[in-house]
Amino acid sequence: MDELRKLQQFRAERRENNVLHLVFDMPGRPMNVFSNAAIAELAIFSRWLRDSDVKGVVIRSGKPSAFCAGADLAELGLAYDMIMAAPAETRDRVAFDHFFRLSQALRGIETAGKPVAAAIAGLALGGGGELALATHHRVMVDDPKVAFGLPESLVGLLPGGGGTQRLPRLTGIEKAFSILLEGARLSGQAAIAAGVVDELVAAGEEVAAAERWVLSHPSASQPWDRSGWRPVDVDDAASIIERKREGVLAETLGHYPAPLAILDCVAQGLPQPFDAAIRSEMQIFSKLIQRREPRNMIRTLFLGRLDHDRFRKAGGIPAPVEQAVAAVSEALQAGADATLANAFARAGFHGPGKAPAFDGVIAQSAFWLEAEPVTEGKRALRERLTRAYAAADQWRATFSEDQRRAADYLLVTKYGFPAYMAGAFSSAQPGA
């Protein structure tokens, strides 16, 4: 236990029944998130567990509101900068080595030969959901405020800690997609029906229930680690995924890489042994994290939402922010120009008209409006965006960073600016 006494993001409590409680309780934070320090400590624990003499483990939170709320997005931004500062030919490897540490730690816990149960009494989202999936048994408090989810796609990413591999193996592909692609949060009986939770209990009973399961299962392993086990719908995976891919492209018009990357993870990983599957997942994640879209979506839809909500709670959105957003929105109006209106719609701007059909172009390094061939519609759209960004210039330098992000959040959520481009206030160049 000596090495566990050094943990700071977690604490280890050995009970009289020789069940160890691993308590996630980050100091100085209202919610647990997976920081670099937390991932490093989880790796230390996974190595310790393999050689320990405990009967099993209950993983729980020391916070009243959340099991774990996901990744530390501030550190994610620093990791992006580190990756992009590396030579282009080494970026995939740098990203893989940095982010695969969580997958390795979780894999170490589930293969240590000890029964591990999660006691979930708050939000288990993102990395928190992946930690729960890596346990052998999940107990959840039956309360609508207690939920499981993998919402990474909503900010342009994918669950890179094995989530795209464990979830479809547990729930089946179809059920997994509502969580992986749509960011659905599951509570109560919905979580049981999906297969992400094994047991529902009243508040205050989750830890005892998790301990009972650990003590009654001296030998525990994941289904995918048992000889001869196959995912239930692996033979139909290709057709299921292809139908879903067609729907995703029709909805996103090819502008958002995260849902397509998630589909690739499931398609490539499901037929493979699990250790190979999580490496495939990380290879796909390592390329996704280098793109502009997730960076833009995190800045606008997550950080911008936090800033917007903080302003609202403090008395309201500052009047200059409201004025600036209205001015930029006005500059973006297509009016009666049908060619421009169609270009706006094709670029993913949401308006009153019917969305165009997907034209087969999937965004790569260039966004649709930047890519060849240059059409009349693209030229008109670029001119209108230049006008809108010029309008934003009048405020950008005078706004604080949180005001810029809040303004972009309003542009996206209220005025239909595409999230993959981030808005007009955080950068002087469209989509930069």
Side-chain angles (χ1 to χ4, degrees), residues 112-129:
K114 303 291 193 301
V116 183
I120 304 169
L123 296 175
L125 303 177

Side-chain angles (χ1 to χ4, degrees), residues 144-350:
K145 295 179 181 178
V146 178
F148 169 93
L150 299 175
E152 286 88 343
S153 66
L154 301 182
V155 290
L157 290 172
L158 62 85
T164 69
Q165 302 308 310
R166 291 185 179 91
L167 187 64
R169 284 167 168 79
L170 281 172
T171 69
I173 298 173
E174 295 279 13
K175 290 180 181 178
F177 281 157
S178 67
I179 302 169
L180 289 171
L181 299 176
E182 300 165 23
R185 294 187 184 187
L186 301 180
S187 300
Q189 287 298 328
I192 290 283
V196 298
V197 167
D198 302 293
E199 191 176 352
L200 290 178
V201 297
E205 299 178 9
E206 67 279 1
V207 174
E211 277 197 355
R212 282 195 300 271
W213 185 89
V214 166
L215 291 170
S216 63
H217 291 76
S219 177
S221 63
Q222 297 287 28
W224 43 87
D225 288 324
R226 298 169 194 161
S227 178
W229 183 88
R230 295 177 78 242
V232 64
D233 44 11
V234 66
D235 294 333
D236 299 322
S239 59
I240 295 171
I241 292 167
E242 185 54 35
R243 287 195 301 272
K244 181 59 71 171
R245 190 181 302 274
E246 291 174 0
V248 165
L249 289 172
E251 181 179 351
T252 68
L253 303 178
H255 296 305
Y256 293 86
L260 300 176
I262 289 169
L263 293 174
D264 289 342
C265 285
V266 179
Q268 294 181 27
L270 201 62
Q272 297 186 84
F274 195 82
D275 288 305
I278 58 174
R279 294 188 72 85
S280 293
E281 175 191 79
M282 184 48 58
Q283 288 165 356
I284 294 169
F285 180 94
S286 296
K287 292 186 179 298
L288 179 63
I289 193 66
Q290 298 175 50
R291 296 185 59 132
R292 289 180 286 173
E293 296 93 341
R295 180 197 60 183
N296 289 345
M297 294 172 72
I298 290 169
R299 186 170 64 200
T300 303
L301 294 178
F302 184 81
L303 299 176
R305 177 178 58 81
L306 294 178
D307 294 327
H308 171 272
D309 293 350
R310 194 158 44 241
F311 284 129
R312 289 286 298 271
K313 291 177 181 177
I317 306 300
V321 171
E322 296 273 18
Q323 293 165 7
V325 171
V328 171
S329 178
E330 179 66 26
L332 287 168
Q333 296 305 309
D337 188 329
T339 298
L340 180 58
N342 181 69
F344 267 115
R346 182 60 193 84
F349 286 78
H350 296 294

Side-chain angles (χ1 to χ4, degrees), residues 50-138:
R50 185 172 296 278
D51 298 323
S52 75
D53 64 351
V54 296
K55 291 183 178 179
V57 177
V58 171
I59 300 179
R60 60 183 177 87
S61 172
K63 311 293 185 187
S65 59
F67 182 73
C68 173
D72 185 322
L73 291 180
E75 288 189 355
L76 200 64
L78 294 175
Y80 173 86
D81 293 339
M82 174 194 70
I83 294 163
M84 300 311 290
E89 65 274 13
T90 68
R91 288 173 188 166
D92 288 355
R93 178 180 56 78
V94 170
F96 189 102
D97 291 346
H98 181 79
F99 288 106
F100 195 54
R101 296 172 303 136
L102 176 58
S103 297
Q104 291 173 307
L106 296 180
R107 188 67 175 137
I109 288 172
E110 71 181 357
T111 60
K114 303 291 193 301
V116 183
I120 304 169
L123 296 175
L125 303 177
E130 294 189 283
L131 174 58
L133 291 177
T135 66
H136 305 108
H137 187 77
R138 290 160 294 281

